[in-house]
Structures are given as C-alpha cells and as structure tokens.
Amino acid sequence: MASPTPCYHCGLPVPAGSRFQAQVLGATREMCCPGCQAVAEAIVSGGLEHYYKHRSESAANPQSLPQALPDELALYDRSDVQQPFVEHDGDLSETCLLIEGISCAACGWLIEKHLRTLPGVSEAHLNLSNHRLQVRWADSQLPLSSLLKALRKIGYAAHPWQADAAAEQLQRENRRAMRELGVAGMLWMQVMMATMATWPEFNIDLSPELDKILRWVSLFLTTPIVFYCCGQFFRGALRDLRTRHLTMDVSVSLAIGGAYIAGIWSTVTGQGELYFDAVGMFALFLLAGRYLERRARERTAAATAQLVNLLPASCLRLAADGQSQRILLSELRVGDQVLVPPGALLPADGRIVQGQSSVDESVLTGEYLPQPRNVGDAVTAGTLNVEGPLSVEVQALGDATRLSAIVRLLERAQSDKPRLAVLADQVAQWFLLIVLVVAAIVGLVWWQLDPSRAFWIVLALLVATCPCALALATPTALTAATGSLHKLGMLLTRGHVLEGLNQIDTLVLDKTGTLTEGRLTLSAIHHLRDLDADACLALAAALENRSEHPIARAFGQAPEAAEAVDSHPGLGLQGCVGGRRLRIGEANFVCALSTQPAPAISGEHGQWLLLGDEQGPLAWFVLNDRLREDAPQLIDMAKAKGWQILLLSGDSSPMVGEVARQLGIIDARGGLTPDAKLDVLKQLHSQGRRVLMLGDGVNDVPVLAAADISVAMGSATDLAKTSADAVLLSNRLSSLVQALHMAQRTRRIIIENLTWASLYNGLVLPFAAIGWITPIWAALGMSVSSLLVVVNALRLTRT
C-alpha cells in the first residue's frame, strides 16, 4: 500500500480525497488542510517563497526526523521535567521556548500563525531579537511534546529556555556599567560648560547671581556622578580598607571625594575654584577603563556553559530484558548500561559491552577522524558515535568524567597568576601607600605653616597624583591595538598578550586544524587493473556518498548511487554499483572479497584506502590533510627569532612526523593526551621557557590556559577559544605573523604610556607638596597627562 503524500507545507499526511493545493515554486503542491493552504499562499503572495527553498528537509518530510526524537521529546511531558520551566495556571500552561533556525521576520510570523492553528494554543508570541517564544496552551488538549514536534515539522527546533544565573548576572552588571558610563559622560559635558564659565579666564561680565547659579547647577549635576556612577569606587575603597589591602580604589575615592567636598565648600561660600569638572573627568575615564576590562572578562565566562552543551540531555538506558527506555541524564547511575545509536553523543564515560563502531573524539582530541572502537574499549562522555549502535556500561558520571577533568585542569591553570601581574600589584600598593603617607605629612606641615592652605595643597597633591594616566595607559593602548589586530584577523581576549610576546622563546603547535587545514583531500589515485583513475574514483564515490564518515567528503559527488551499502566500522564499506559488488577501506578487508593478496604500498605518505571487487583490487586512493600554505612562514619567523619549536598532537598516525619533516620541526610528538601535553608544558616552564601555544581542540585547552601566551584558531572549539589569550579569526597563520609585529609595537606604546604616567606623577608630586600647583592646575595637569596617553595610544590605529 502506497504511503500517503506528505503535505508540502507541514509534512503531515494529506487525507485521501483532499483537494487543498497551492502554487509554490512554479508547481502545484498538495496541502493537508485549508490552514496550510492559506499559510502557503500568504507566504508566496508576500514574496517569501524562498522559505521553501532553504528550509530544512524535515519541514517537508516528517519521516526524516531522527528516530530518537519522539522519545526524547516525550520526556518533556513529565511533570518533574516541566517543573523548572513551565508554569501552570488552572487549565492553561505557559512556557518560554528558544527557537533555532529563525532567519527573518517571516519566520516569526509563520511560527506564530502555525501554532495558533493548533488545538489548545491560546497565545504564541515570538521575540525576534532573542528568538524566545512565549506560548500559552491547554496541556490537557496538547502535550508539550506535540507542540515541540509541530515546530519541528515546519523546520524549527525548539528547546525550553531557562535563564542561566551566572549569565544573567553578567548581563545585569554589563548593563549597569553601560548606564554608569553613559550618565557620567552626559553629565560631565554639562558640568564642564557650567564650571568653565566660573573660571577667571572666562568670567567676563558674569554677575554674582549668575556665578552663584552656575555653582549650584554644577553641584546638582555632579552629585549623581559621585553617588551613582562612582559608587563602585567608594565601595571598593571601603572593602580594601577593611582588608588592609590598598588598591587604586582608595586613591581614586580620596581624589574624587576630596574634589567633590571642595566643590561643595566653594559653592556654599561662593569663593575658590570649582573642581566638579575634575570629578566628572575622573569618573568618565576610569569607568571607561573598567568597562573595557569587564568586556574582556565577559568573553571568557562562557567556558563552563559550553561544557554543558557537549553532553546530551537524555539517553537510552537498557533494562535487564534488553529493552531501552529514554531517561534524563540526571537519572543515569554508574553501572547502568546505555544504548548509543549512530549519530548520538555518549552520555558518560564507560566501556563498550556490545557492538563496534567509530567514535568521533574531535571534541576532546581535536582530531576529526573517528577512531574504531570495539567491545572492551573505553569511550568518553561528549564524544560522537558515528557508525554502529553501541551498548556501553557507565563507569563515570558528572565531575568524574574525563571531560570534567579537563575543565578542572583549565580552572587550575587559569588560577595561576602570572609573576608580572603579582609584581604589578605590589608596585601599585607601594605607590599608593607612598602617595597617602606623603599627603598626610604634607598636610601636617602646611597645617603648621599656613592652615588656610593646608586642605587645598593636600587636595592638589591627591588630584595631581591620581593614577588616571596609569589606569588609562594599558586600556587605551589595548583598545586601539584591538581594532588594528582585528583588521589583521586576530582578536585579543586578555591584555597580557601584548606585554608578554617579546618574552616568548618557545612555540608549541598543534597539528590538525592548526598547521593543517583539518580536512582530508584526495592527493593521488593508483589504479591497479584495467579501469582508469576516473572510473575508479566514480565507483569509490558511489560507495562513500552513502557514508557519514569524514573520509567520504574527500571523494566528491558520485555520478550514480550505490545500493545495499553496509558499513564495517574500522574496516570500510561494502556495496553494489551497477551490479558489481565492491569494497573500499582497509586492505585486508577489501581483499577478503576476492581472496587476492593485498598490493604493496609505495613510500608515499598519507592515508591509503583500497578499492576492490570480487576479481581483486582495483585502485589505491591516497588521502592527505593538506598543510596550510602559510605554515612555513610562521615556522621561518619563529626560527629567525631563535625560538624552540615543538609539535604536540593527539594524532598517533605517521602524519605527525611527516608534517614535522615538511616544516623542518625537530621535536614532534604524537598520540598525546591533554594531561601529557600539560606535562610537557610544565617541563618547559621548569626550564625557564616562555611558551606561546597555538591550538584548536579541547585537548589543547589545559595547555592554552597554562601557556604564557595562547592563541586559538578561529575554527577551534568554543571551549578552546574561550580559554585562549587571543583568537586567530582569519585562520591564516600569516595573519599571526603580522599580528606579532603589531603586538610588539603595542607593547612599546604601553611602556611609553606607563613611563610617561609614572614620570608625570613622580615629577608633579614635589611641586604640589610645596604649594606651587593649585588644585585647578593639578586637575589640568592630570587631564593633559591622560590626553597624552590617549593620543599616544591612537598611533596604533595606523596600521
């Protein structure tokens, strides 16, 4: 019996005798109901017909949905699973769903329109800015799993949305910092105009009444800057004083508070200069610097959240009678047996008790080729089962898994504070302590000499030595350098990169995806019988096109399709093409079809696959992961600098040695685990080496985090990128060479800025102490010093 025609719009079966049709993409399409017909006609008439060209296949064919999907979606009908994200109000339920696959406003209209036609759905509102769908429906009429399935059938995947506490907190802090910065900037400009009008240089025909009004206006506008924008400085200063630990918050708070109190005195008495403009300038510059630091930290805060995405939400647990039941990952226990179908992620560390397959471990090793796994072999949580079904006995869960161990290594490596950072903290504390002691001594001396001038001289000293230029020296240079480096394809995520690159003497490299392009290409075909190379390639492609293995991509599209294709994990493929039975893969596996001996392999490097039929071998196919064209340029630069070069790879194949030979790298080591790579790094550090690490896999994460400077490729895993000090967005190693030169230039600018700021503070201190510098000139001097630092940093924008 023929299967019913699926509805072209939603994929549901078209009832017999249905006459609902619509003209879509130049053809008459069958529809299951008037609702789908109306939606399809509205899409076409609205000029959005391209939706049907680009939607996923599952939108038009519900049978193409993964077999495990209905079971997984059914979990959402359980009350204990719904409890965190579904609210029940009488007969109605409400939830927020995160929708994948939204590309334009028409998608939102389509989703809302489709859901509102479902029985029991009373409200459906999609926020296009964050792709969150708010749904209100009658759970008794429509289970949540059916609602999710309905979205899948029109081409959109939906997941329950739950706010991550840490992410929400970061967003709130980021919004607050932006508000504080905006308020400080807006009010400072107004305060500056009002204050300048009271200066003697500008006080032309200014009546006493207007002068008084301007003073009070300045006070009124400055008060929000002090108590709202600068509140974090005062809170930090109080905390530091309680813990007896001096930071810039103490000095900044004294300067801002002193200038504000002095301004209040001048406003009330109508005498002396106002310093409200200095308060606003302090706030604006310091808040801008802190905001830049916050953004850098925010880019590294998602590493833990990325780890959660590596594990499946549910799994199939096997009962004693061999039946499988889909459960949540939190319900799994050590000793349970789980069934892992092809294309599914492994939920836990374990041991294979039944089945054989290939497992894609690129998430851990960075090597994209799946590895054959048989009964008794260990498998790791978060890796992907590629070919055959596996029964796995669970041996480790949660924090005990290998994946969690890598994250712990990452956290431990990141917690180690660089020696330069420790030294900088100590110098800053001593500098602040000296300034405060000098200010107290100067105040006491002037109280004895001239009490009327004591307060103003101490204030001038604190303002003049306020570390604004010191605080701006690094952030402004980093901001300018970040834009320039971004043009070169390199994104900095931590500031110490530019400072530390000149101290590097060792380069550690990963292979796959770093020195190589990370994808196999067909480099040679050696035909062995009467068929030419093109004919052999057509036969091989026909077999490989039926496989999901990454090797298959190297053969391109086949002119005809193979039939009865069977996958033999770790060995190869067997199938029929044009009535001829063929095998491709490992030599002994292929030759077993014909009982012919395996042909000899020449000395050519690469991965060799044999194609054969029942009469014997037909051809050798040689596959290689091609070197990046600019890899020699990076190695030549490192050698020119006298760096030691090491190639550390998780790949255990001979390709590691071949890549090293082509690039002239003497020290190359393959088959290394993340722990082993970190041990090599520790050995280098024990020898006093300063290490630059370049990698792209999760197995590189501990080394990226612990290296003195680490750079991740733009194609790297998310966890690797968030752990690196910089990301090579362009994936061009030549861009890294250019970026290294820019980084050296940036380091010189930072040193110049720090030198100038230190010299200024050091030189102005004695002049302020003897009373030669008034508070207003101290504020001007501080402003000029800060301006020079900014202008010098802007030189980095000229690439």
Side-chain angles (χ1 to χ4, degrees):
M1 181 177 178
S3 59
T5 303
C7 173
Y8 188 75
H9 178 72
C10 71
L12 292 175
V14 176
S18 173
R19 297 184 178 180
F20 300 110
Q21 297 176 335
Q23 291 291 323
V24 181
L25 298 176
T28 301
R29 312 293 183 177
E30 299 293 331
M31 303 290 167
C32 66
C33 65
C36 286
Q37 181 187 36
V39 170
E41 289 175 346
I43 289 175
V44 173
S45 61
L48 303 171
E49 199 172 11
H50 66 280
Y51 157 77
Y52 290 103
K53 290 182 179 180
H54 303 297
R55 65 176 177 174
S56 64
E57 183 181 355
S58 62
N61 182 13
Q63 303 302 322
S64 68
L65 293 176
Q67 294 180 357
L69 184 60
D71 290 340
E72 186 169 344
L73 294 182
L75 290 173
Y76 290 115
D77 294 335
R78 289 169 40 178
S79 58
D80 59 329
V81 176
Q82 290 186 7
Q83 194 273 330
F85 61 89
V86 177
E87 295 182 2
H88 300 280
D89 182 13
D91 295 334
L92 294 179
S93 302
E94 186 173 353
T95 189
C96 184
L97 302 175
L98 186 65
I99 308 298
E100 295 181 7
I102 294 175
S103 58
C104 63
C107 296
W109 174 85
L110 180 62
I111 290 170
E112 293 179 355
K113 190 79 173 177
H114 182 69
L115 288 184
R116 289 168 184 167
T117 63
L118 298 177
V121 176
S122 60
E123 294 180 20
H125 301 288
L126 179 69
N127 187 331
L128 286 171
S129 63
N130 55 24
H131 296 183
R132 295 177 193 168
L133 175 69
Q134 204 74 27
V135 184
R136 190 173 176 85
W137 83 106
D139 198 28
S140 59
Q141 298 182 45
L142 184 71
L144 180 56
S145 60
S146 299
L147 194 150
L148 297 176
K149 204 178 300 181
L151 287 168
R152 289 265 183 177
K153 287 178 180 177
I154 61 171
Y156 302 95
H159 309 284
W161 180 84
Q162 290 178 267
D164 179 84
E168 287 291 299
Q169 179 65 20
L170 276 177
Q171 290 181 4
R172 284 195 297 269
E173 292 179 355
N174 194 43
R175 288 193 295 267
R176 187 198 66 198
M178 280 296 294
R179 285 196 301 269
E180 292 174 351
L181 184 59
V183 169
M186 180 181 64
L187 293 180
W188 172 61
M189 288 188 289
Q190 309 305 318
V191 171
M192 192 66 168
M193 289 188 292
T195 303
M196 288 179 65
T198 66
W199 291 0
E201 294 83 354
F202 299 95
N203 193 354
I204 302 174
D205 297 329
L206 187 66
S207 66
E209 291 77 11
L210 185 57
D211 180 84
K212 185 176 181 179
I213 290 173
L214 290 175
R215 289 175 182 270
W216 282 100
V217 167
S218 299
L219 172 60
F220 175 76
L221 294 174
T222 306
T223 300
I225 297 178
V226 174
F227 291 99
Y228 174 67
C229 302
C230 300
Q232 56 179 294
F233 299 128
F234 294 107
R235 290 190 295 270
L238 289 174
R239 180 193 61 239
D240 296 335
L241 291 175
R242 291 193 193 103
T243 58
R244 299 181 181 179
H245 179 77
L246 289 178
T247 67
M248 286 190 180
D249 282 342
V250 176
S251 179
V252 166
S253 298
L254 286 173
I256 291 177
Y260 179 66
I261 292 172
I264 293 176
W265 175 262
S266 295
T267 300
V268 172
T269 63
Q271 299 177 358
E273 303 293 340
L274 293 175
Y275 301 102
F276 295 136
D277 54 337
V279 172
M281 186 162 40
F282 291 167
L284 183 62
F285 285 155
L286 294 172
L287 289 171
R290 294 212 172 180
Y291 179 73
L292 294 174
E293 294 174 7
R294 179 180 299 281
R295 295 294 294 177
R297 289 197 304 270
E298 191 175 331
R299 282 193 290 266
T300 65
T304 303
Q306 295 297 331
L307 172 64
V308 176
N309 295 333
L310 299 179
L311 296 176
S314 64
C315 62
L316 291 172
R317 182 171 60 189
L318 290 172
D321 59 0
Q323 297 296 315
S324 63
Q325 177 188 10
R326 185 161 293 276
I327 63 171
L328 294 175
L329 189 61
S330 59
E331 299 177 281
L332 196 60
R333 298 292 179 265
V334 174
D336 288 348
Q337 286 192 16
V338 294
L339 175 64
V340 186
L345 293 170
L346 279 102
D349 289 359
R351 179 179 60 86
I352 298 175
V353 295
Q354 185 178 347
Q356 60 177 4
S357 181
S358 294
V359 177
D360 182 354
E361 298 180 342
S362 59
V363 70
L364 293 178
T365 65
E367 304 303 324
Y368 66 97
L369 284 178
Q371 301 299 312
R373 293 290 182 263
N374 299 295
V375 173
D377 290 343
V379 288
T380 305
T383 57
L384 178 68
N385 182 21
V386 176
E387 293 175 296
L390 295 175
S391 296
V392 177
E393 179 183 353
V394 176
Q395 295 179 327
L397 287 164
D399 292 340
T401 61
R402 182 184 173 196
L403 199 59
S404 295
I406 290 179
V407 173
R408 286 196 297 273
L409 288 173
L410 162 66
E411 292 173 347
R412 185 177 65 189
Q414 287 180 332
S415 65
D416 293 335
K417 204 167 189 180
R419 287 176 294 177
L420 285 177
V422 174
L423 180 61
D425 287 346
Q426 293 174 348
V427 170
Q429 286 193 58
W430 281 108
F431 172 77
L432 292 172
L433 182 60
I434 292 171
V435 169
L436 293 177
V437 170
V438 169
I441 294 173
V442 168
L444 289 174
V445 171
W446 276 100
W447 186 260
Q448 300 296 325
L449 297 176
D450 187 352
S452 63
R453 297 185 61 193
F455 174 79
W456 303 106
I457 290 175
V458 170
L459 178 62
L461 191 149
L462 288 174
V463 171
T465 57
C466 183
C468 284
L470 283 172
L472 288 169
T474 300
T476 50
L478 289 179
T479 302
T482 298
S484 298
L485 290 174
H486 192 272
K487 294 177 185 177
L488 297 174
M490 185 175 181
L491 174 66
L492 298 185
T493 60
R494 291 180 178 86
H496 75 278
V497 176
L498 303 169
E499 177 188 358
L501 275 173
N502 277 353
Q503 303 169 4
I504 294 299
D505 56 22
T506 303
L507 176 63
V508 174
L509 299 158
D510 182 40
K511 179 182 73 70
T512 306
T514 303
L515 292 176
T516 66
E517 294 182 349
R519 62 178 186 270
L520 286 176
T521 56
L522 185 62
S523 61
I525 302 175
H526 302 286
H527 62 94
L528 304 172
R529 295 219 322 256
D530 51 338
L531 289 179
D532 61 17
D534 291 338
C536 291
L537 177 58
L539 294 174
L543 289 174
E544 293 289 352
N545 281 183
R546 300 294 299 274
S547 172
E548 295 297 327
H549 199 285
I551 285 178
R553 302 169 192 162
F555 289 86
Q557 293 296 319
E560 59 180 316
E563 300 176 347
V565 177
D566 293 324
S567 174
H568 298 262
L571 299 175
L573 300 171
Q574 176 179 299
C576 294
V577 180
R580 172 185 290 184
R581 186 171 298 279
L582 298 165
R583 284 186 178 182
I584 186 171
E586 194 267 333
N588 292 331
F589 166 72
V590 173
C591 291
L593 186 63
S594 62
T595 68
Q596 296 291 324
I601 296 176
S602 68
E604 188 174 349
H605 289 277
Q607 182 165 354
W608 289 65
L609 298 180
L610 184 62
L611 173 69
D613 58 12
E614 294 176 327
Q615 281 69 51
L618 287 169
W620 279 114
F621 295 90
V622 186
L623 305 178
N624 269 314
D625 187 3
R626 189 169 56 188
L627 269 180
R628 295 187 186 273
E629 294 181 355
D630 46 10
Q633 182 181 352
L634 175 63
I635 301 302
D636 291 344
M637 182 213 67
K639 289 181 177 179
K641 290 179 174 292
W643 291 358
Q644 179 181 345
I645 306 173
L646 292 86
L647 175 58
L648 306 180
S649 176
D651 187 2
S652 56
S653 72
M655 284 301 298
V656 177
E658 174 60 18
V659 168
R661 185 192 65 77
Q662 294 181 34
L663 294 174
I665 300 175
I666 298 175
D667 193 346
R669 311 176 196 182
L672 298 181
T673 64
D675 293 3
K677 288 189 175 186
L678 190 58
D679 288 340
V680 173
L681 183 68
K682 289 179 179 178
Q683 292 175 7
L684 293 170
H685 279 161
S686 67
Q687 299 167 9
R689 314 292 300 190
R690 305 285 292 180
V691 180
L692 169 63
M693 170 67 187
L694 181 63
D696 74 323
V698 174
N699 66 321
D700 300 320
V701 165
V703 189
L704 287 170
D708 299 282
I709 306 293
S710 55
V711 180
M713 303 297 291
S715 57
T717 62
D718 289 340
L719 196 59
K721 287 190 282 192
T722 55
S723 303
D725 301 318
V727 179
L728 197 61
L729 298 174
S730 64
N731 279 320
R732 295 191 304 271
L733 298 180
S734 59
S735 295
L736 177 58
V737 176
Q738 294 175 307
L740 287 170
H741 295 307
M742 170 61 71
Q744 293 170 359
R745 185 179 165 203
T746 304
R747 180 178 180 273
R748 288 196 300 269
I749 295 293
I750 290 177
I751 292 175
E752 291 172 3
N753 283 349
L754 290 173
T755 301
W756 161 251
S758 300
L759 284 174
Y760 166 76
N761 283 331
L763 291 173
V764 79
L765 190 150
F767 292 104
I770 61 178
W772 287 8
I773 298 178
T774 63
I776 190 61
W777 284 108
L780 287 173
M782 186 279 302
S783 301
V784 171
S785 175
S786 300
L787 183 61
L788 287 175
V789 165
V790 173
V791 170
N792 192 39
L794 290 177
R795 292 167 50 206
L796 292 168
T797 59
R798 299 194 301 269
T799 57

